[in-house]
């Protein structure tokens, strides 16, 4: 619960840099994983561990795609500051 609150606080307070904004999202996914694992062990059920594995897979894919977007944005615009990126157009 504490990690989730810190993640929400991190998103709300750090709105200057896109990679720094994505770090609290990863910590919130870590909190979800730890909840799944703790309840899976306490309830003696394997489904929580399978969901944790699924969340880890989604987090890895999200991290890879996000990093690619950051690199592409930096190459095109020269900065990844949120204030300078007002709209993303295709």
């Amino acid at each position: 619960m504490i990690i989730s609150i810190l993640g929400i606080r991190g998103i709300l307070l750090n709105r200057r840099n896109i990679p720094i904004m994505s770090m609290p999202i990863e910590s919130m996914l870590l909190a979800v994983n730890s909840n799944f694992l703790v309840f899976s062990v306490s309830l003696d059920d394997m489904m929580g561990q399978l969901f944790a594995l699924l969340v880890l897979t989604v987090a890895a894919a999200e991290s890879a795609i996000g990093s690619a977007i950051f690199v592409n944005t930096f190459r095109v615009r020269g900065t990844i500051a949120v204030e300078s990126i007002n709209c993303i157009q295709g």
Side-chain angles (χ1 to χ4, degrees):
M1 184 69 178
I2 294 172
I3 299 174
S4 297
I5 293 170
L6 287 175
I8 293 170
R9 182 178 173 262
I11 290 174
L12 293 176
L13 293 179
N14 296 324
R15 291 190 177 185
R16 284 176 274 184
N17 204 350
I18 296 175
I20 294 175
M21 285 175 60
S22 68
M23 285 182 213
I25 295 171
E26 296 295 328
S27 69
M28 288 173 25
L29 287 173
L30 175 68
V32 169
N33 270 343
S34 59
N35 281 334
F36 278 144
L37 292 176
V38 166
F39 285 115
S40 173
V41 169
S42 68
L43 296 175
D44 198 26
D45 188 19
M46 288 292 292
M47 289 303 292
Q49 294 175 11
L50 291 175
F51 280 136
L53 186 62
L54 177 70
V55 170
L56 279 175
T57 307
V58 170
E62 177 236 341
S63 178
I65 292 171
S67 297
I69 291 172
F70 299 153
V71 168
N72 194 14
T73 303
F74 183 75
R75 285 183 183 169
V76 170
R77 298 186 187 258
T79 184
I80 48 176
V82 177
E83 293 89 16
S84 64
I85 302 171
N86 56 2
C87 64
I88 299 176
Q89 298 175 352

